[in-house]
């Protein structure tokens, strides 16, 4: 059983650019969520995807968007990057019928300069 | 907006000491989870508490969910250097779109000195 894998592990982008982060969910999991974790803070919910549709969103602007594919892998896209977007981006998968916790990936460390 | 306040933010103790981390909110959550996060890794689930007043033990770790399901505590007995890490509480709720989302506290960075 594979866990959640994210790529890339580290990324440096310039303000105003666009970025795509990728996530492969754990086998058997049909729901994927994305979280942003700023340095010294707890993760903040960005959005969740189920059956390839967004079914929940946190307090993040529309320039944060996502996709979920039929194989349950996922992408997080961020347009018009701002310096405050620098953070660890975590992908988490779960099964919608499970009351268990999420399985988190190791994250992508994004630095915007 | 649901918020979870965690305290203390930092904790540095000697090996063998006991400690308690608190997680408080003005909101009711359907359940509450505790995670531990190591540098460069994602959070790893330790426990889920569901029922008000519930107490769960995991070796030297004891987790308690408040009667009103708004607060929780994590107690570690005889801490060891291997317990060092960032401890996060997370309240589970459901958005209008039925998404199960986690609201995390800001975390407690625990350092256990040998």
């Amino acid at each position: 059983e594979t866990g959640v894998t994210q790529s890339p592990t580290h990324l440096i982008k310039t303000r105003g650019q666009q970025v795509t982060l990728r996530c492969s969910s754990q086998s058997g999991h049909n729901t994927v969520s994305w979280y942003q974790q700023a340095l010294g803070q707890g993760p903040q919910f960005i959005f969740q995807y189920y059956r390839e549709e967004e079914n929940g969103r946190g307090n993040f602007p529309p320039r944060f968007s996502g996709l979920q594919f039929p194989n349950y892998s996922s992408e997080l896209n961020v347009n018009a990057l701002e310096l405050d977007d620098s953070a660890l981006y975590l992908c988490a998968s779960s099964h919608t019928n499970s009351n268990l916790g999420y399985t988190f990936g190791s994250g992508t460390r994004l630095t915007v300069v | 907006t649901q918020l979870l306040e965690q305290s203390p933010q930092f904790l540095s103790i000697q090996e063998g000491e006991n400690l308690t981390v608190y997680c408080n909110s003005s909101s009711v959550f359907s359940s509450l989870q505790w995670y531990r996060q190591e540098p460069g890794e994602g959070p790893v689930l330790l426990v889920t508490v569901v029922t008000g007043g519930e107490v769960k033990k995991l070796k030297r770790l004891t987790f308690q969910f408040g009667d009103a399901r708004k607060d929780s505590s994590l107690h570690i007995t005889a801490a060891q250097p291997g317990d060092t890490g960032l401890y996060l509480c997370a309240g589970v709720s459901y958005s209008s779109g039925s998404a199960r989302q986690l609201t995390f506290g800001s975390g407690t960075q625990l350092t256990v000195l040998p």
Side-chain angles (χ1 to χ4, degrees), chain B residues 24-25 52 73:
Chain B
N24 296 293
S25 174
S73 64

Side-chain angles (χ1 to χ4, degrees), chain A residues 79-95:
Chain A
N79 294 321
L81 284 167
E82 302 177 358
L83 297 179
D84 285 348
D85 295 334
S86 296
L88 180 69
Y89 288 86
L90 295 163
C91 169
S93 71
S94 68
H95 193 282

